Amino acid sequence: DAPAVEFLGRTDLTFPYVPSHLYYILFELLKNSMRATVEQHGLADMPDIRVVIADGESNEDVVIRISDQGGGIPRSITDKVFSYLFTTAREAFPEHLEDLEDFGRENPLAGLGYGLPISRGYVRYFRGDLQLMSMHGYGTDAFVHLPRLAGHWEPLL
């Protein structure tokens, strides 16, 4: 089970961007929101995660906001969440599951500390930004600012 995801705003929007980067960024943010929501509320009564896509003819960026009610991030660690190897995830495989051998343990979905730093790196490479606004005890809003890439030439290394 997982929280439902509600999409609002410009759900019909298409724009040029690197699909694999956009997929990675949104996957990481939604995964983090879902994990936090389940940890905060349990499986019985999970609030929806809301994704709002904002765009207009005159907007310089496409902005995606992902909002959850997963308990938020303590202010004392907000400056660390974009650091490599920093994680708030609990142990991926608790001790009582060590004897189970019917699933792989090589690739946990959370807890490695790479998701947010890589996501922000992808966005910033194309002159965008990824920001988190959190209310500890309630939830977090992630804002992804994606500049329109049409007409921009980026060096490929």
Side-chain angles (χ1 to χ4, degrees):
D1 286 346
V5 178
E6 180 182 9
F7 289 90
L8 305 165
R10 287 290 314 273
T11 58
D12 62 335
L13 180 66
T14 60
F15 61 98
Y17 209 78
V18 180
S20 60
H21 291 186
L22 188 58
Y23 174 85
Y24 184 89
I25 295 161
L26 295 177
F27 179 84
E28 284 299 322
L29 293 172
L30 286 168
K31 177 189 64 158
N32 290 349
S33 289
M34 288 183 181
R35 181 180 57 83
T37 300
V38 169
E39 288 178 0
Q40 180 74 12
H41 296 277
L43 295 174
D45 188 29
M46 296 177 285
D48 292 352
I49 293 170
R50 300 180 83 192
V51 177
V52 179
I53 303 167
D55 177 56
E57 296 285 328
S58 63
N59 293 22
E60 65 183 50
D61 294 339
V62 173
V63 182
I64 302 171
R65 182 183 75 189
I66 299 175
S67 300
D68 68 53
Q69 295 176 38
I73 303 167
R75 195 169 58 86
S76 60
I77 65 167
T78 54
D79 59 338
K80 298 176 187 175
V81 296
F82 288 109
S83 297
Y84 286 97
L85 302 178
F86 179 80
T87 183
T88 61
R90 296 180 184 156
E91 185 179 346
F93 302 105
E95 289 181 21
H96 68 278
L97 295 179
E98 286 181 359
D99 295 334
L100 298 178
E101 296 183 15
D102 59 344
F103 59 90
R105 298 178 186 191
E106 298 81 29
N107 298 311
L109 280 177
L112 299 177
Y114 289 97
L116 287 176
I118 289 174
S119 295
R120 189 169 71 171
Y122 281 158
V123 173
R124 286 187 169 176
Y125 180 80
F126 291 109
R127 295 185 182 93
D129 205 4
L130 169 58
Q131 299 170 327
L132 300 179
M133 300 298 292
S134 187
M135 293 175 58
H136 189 214
Y138 182 77
T140 301
D141 287 354
F143 293 89
V144 181
H145 297 265
L146 303 170
R148 299 174 185 279
L149 294 184
H152 291 281
W153 295 94
E154 296 294 332
L156 298 176
L157 303 176

